[in-house]
Amino acid sequence: MNTQGTQSTDTRLRAPAVWALILTGVASFMAALDNLVVTTALPAIRTDLGGGLEDLEWTVNAYTLTFAVLLMFGAALGDRFGRRRLFIIGLTVFTGASAAAALSPGIDALIAARAVQGVGAAIMMPLTLTLLTTAVPAARRGMALGIYGAVTGLAVASGPLIGGSLTEHISWQWIFWLNVPVGLALIPLARLRLAESTAPGSRLDVPGTLMISGGLFGIVYALVNANAEGWTSAPVLTGLTVGTALVGGFVRHGFRHADPILPMRLFRDRGFLGINLASLLMFLGMFGSIFLLSQFLQGVAGYSPTEAGLRMLPWTGMPMIVAPIAGILSDRIGGRPVVAAGLAFQALGLGWFAAVLSTDLSYAAQLPPLILSGIGMALYFAPAANVLMSTVAPADQGKASGTNNALREVGGAFGVAVLASVFSAQGGYETPQAFTDGTVPALWIGAGAVAVAAVLALLLPRKPKATPAVPADLAAPAPASAPQKVPAAH
């Protein structure tokens, strides 16, 4: 009798964690996928909706900008008003905007829908990590976050493949329609299966939110438009200057304000500082390199969008195999050696590509750096989330998640801007040789950025900190029939 009772209890304890992993994993996959899924559909969108090159760029940038600049605010709203509640709101906004994008009658409507999509993703994405960490016991957190990291990493890297396949075989509208049935299924399940939680005593930091949102908007806007308008143009210089000033004011605010949206004291922890700087540089090198290599496979090697995506699967698909194993490994030996090794492998893979890239490069010669990069990406993604969450108290996890996601997005935008600028200065689209000449030095820059991230990973502690006691409102989820309530507003 006692044994049966114990088994029943264990089942109830595991079920909320499994549901949290499924729901947050699928939601984060959708949000991360939409970073790059549009890129291979741009020619078809232009044929159907018209518009110039600048309009097509904004179909990508409208999502990136709103996603990046509102991540911190989304995390703060969840801490204040309830993470499950805001997760559902963000998911609803994202799903509705996806339908609007698919139904867009013109390019301006599509850009507006993409911007709203970014708003929904910014609310939803940082809360996925907090909700999952809350639901999973500390002893199993590394494995769960390893799976979560694998799903998110795969979404980021497979965007061009999925977008190209849907556009080539159905229509470009389906890159957005794909989100709608998934979102409609997740909304009621999230209401029934996720527990509500807040950060005790959390208050909205309106001045800090305005400063970091405005600052990140200015910087990211400048970075994603630098190639089109020039680094010395008035809009780019204004965005960089004003954005940097606002971010500087935000940092000062974080030291002086009683309850800032991001307490700067968190960066005094070497683990928090190290994993965030490493994440920014990892996305800088990875995003910029994927942006160029996916075009190399199409423009130089002559593959279709679908064929190019399939040939990148040794890179993009590797996290699904390696990341869960790496998550378990990080629980046993600590996150630092796994993260550092992953970043080193990713840097070596990009450097290998830069060393062998040529107009007649065979696919057999591409396989080793593709596989090495895939292993590196998986080893990074698996323990990075667990390392991040282990550096802060439960009440700060929402802020930590929002910070890390925002820095990743900024790193990705910076990577595309910097590597594309190097590409334009050293080569171009005129001939396959010109494209190769521009891509090689850009890849070396990307490899160098990730190598610096590997060095920064040495700042991480050898072993995760002991998990802090979980406050009452972050305790194990209540049964679906009796959901926890959000504390009354202060």
Side-chain angles (χ1 to χ4, degrees), residues 62-130:
Y63 182 84
T64 303
L65 286 173
T66 54
F67 192 9
V69 304
L70 293 177
L71 276 166
M72 297 289 291
F73 191 49
L77 287 173
D79 287 347
R80 177 66 181 85
F81 296 110
R83 292 158 182 154
R84 182 186 64 182
R85 175 185 294 181
L86 266 296
F87 175 77
I88 293 173
I89 290 173
L91 185 57
T92 302
V93 171
F94 183 85
T95 303
S98 297
L103 295 170
S104 296
I107 194 70
D108 291 338
L110 177 60
I111 292 170
R114 287 284 288 166
V116 177
Q117 253 193 325
V119 173
I123 297 173
M124 173 178 66
M125 189 68 168
L127 299 178
T128 58
L129 198 53
T130 314

Side-chain angles (χ1 to χ4, degrees), residues 344-421:
F345 285 169
Q346 179 70 85
L348 288 172
L350 294 177
W352 194 332
F353 250 122
V356 302
L357 204 66
S358 66
T359 56
D360 57 351
L361 182 67
S362 68
Y363 184 63
Q366 298 175 38
L367 272 177
L370 283 171
I371 294 172
L372 189 61
S373 295
I375 294 173
M377 183 190 296
L379 291 176
Y380 161 78
F381 275 121
N386 198 20
V387 168
L388 172 72
M389 290 314 216
S390 70
T391 63
V392 297
D396 290 325
Q397 286 178 347
K399 296 175 182 178
S401 176
T403 301
N404 189 257
N405 279 283
L407 288 174
R408 288 181 177 191
E409 290 298 311
V410 172
F414 192 52
V416 171
V418 171
L419 269 63
S421 294

Side-chain angles (χ1 to χ4, degrees), residues 154-207:
L154 179 64
V156 170
S158 64
L161 169 61
I162 294 175
S165 298
L166 290 173
T167 300
E168 188 174 335
H169 298 293
I170 309 179
S171 72
W172 67 263
Q173 284 89 348
W174 275 93
I175 65 178
F176 301 115
W177 281 127
L178 182 67
N179 296 326
V180 176
V182 178
L184 291 176
L186 289 181
I187 291 169
L189 287 173
R191 177 66 182 85
L192 293 172
R193 298 297 182 180
L194 294 178
E196 187 60 282
S197 66
T198 60
S202 175
R203 298 177 183 273
L204 288 180
D205 175 15
V206 176

Side-chain angles (χ1 to χ4, degrees), residues 21 25-26 28-29 32 129 132 142-158 315-327 374 377-385 408:
L21 179 59
V26 174
S28 68
F29 183 91
L129 198 53
L132 180 59
M143 180 178 64
L145 291 177
I147 296 172
Y148 172 94
V151 172
T152 304
L154 179 64
V156 170
S158 64
W315 185 1
T316 62
M318 194 62 67
M320 294 302 294
I321 302 172
V322 178
I325 301 172
M377 183 190 296
L379 291 176
Y380 161 78
F381 275 121
R408 288 181 177 191

Side-chain angles (χ1 to χ4, degrees), residues 287-303 308 312 353-354 356-361 366 416 419-444:
F287 252 84
S289 299
I290 288 177
F291 174 77
L292 290 174
L293 286 174
S294 62
Q295 294 184 74
F296 174 86
L297 290 174
Q298 296 176 55
V300 178
Y303 299 120
M312 292 184 74
F353 250 122
V356 302
L357 204 66
S358 66
T359 56
D360 57 351
L361 182 67
Q366 298 175 38
V416 171
L419 269 63
S421 294
V422 174
F423 167 81
S424 298
Q426 300 296 322
Y429 289 90
E430 294 81 10
T431 64
Q433 186 61 53
F435 194 99
T436 304
D437 291 341
T439 302
V440 169
L443 290 179
W444 281 120

Side-chain angles (χ1 to χ4, degrees), residues 6 70 98 129 153 196 214 227 256-257 262 273 315 334 377 453 460:
T6 301
L70 293 177
S98 297
L129 198 53
E196 187 60 282
N227 288 311
R256 293 174 173 265
H257 195 269
L262 175 58
L273 174 64
W315 185 1
M377 183 190 296
L460 303 178

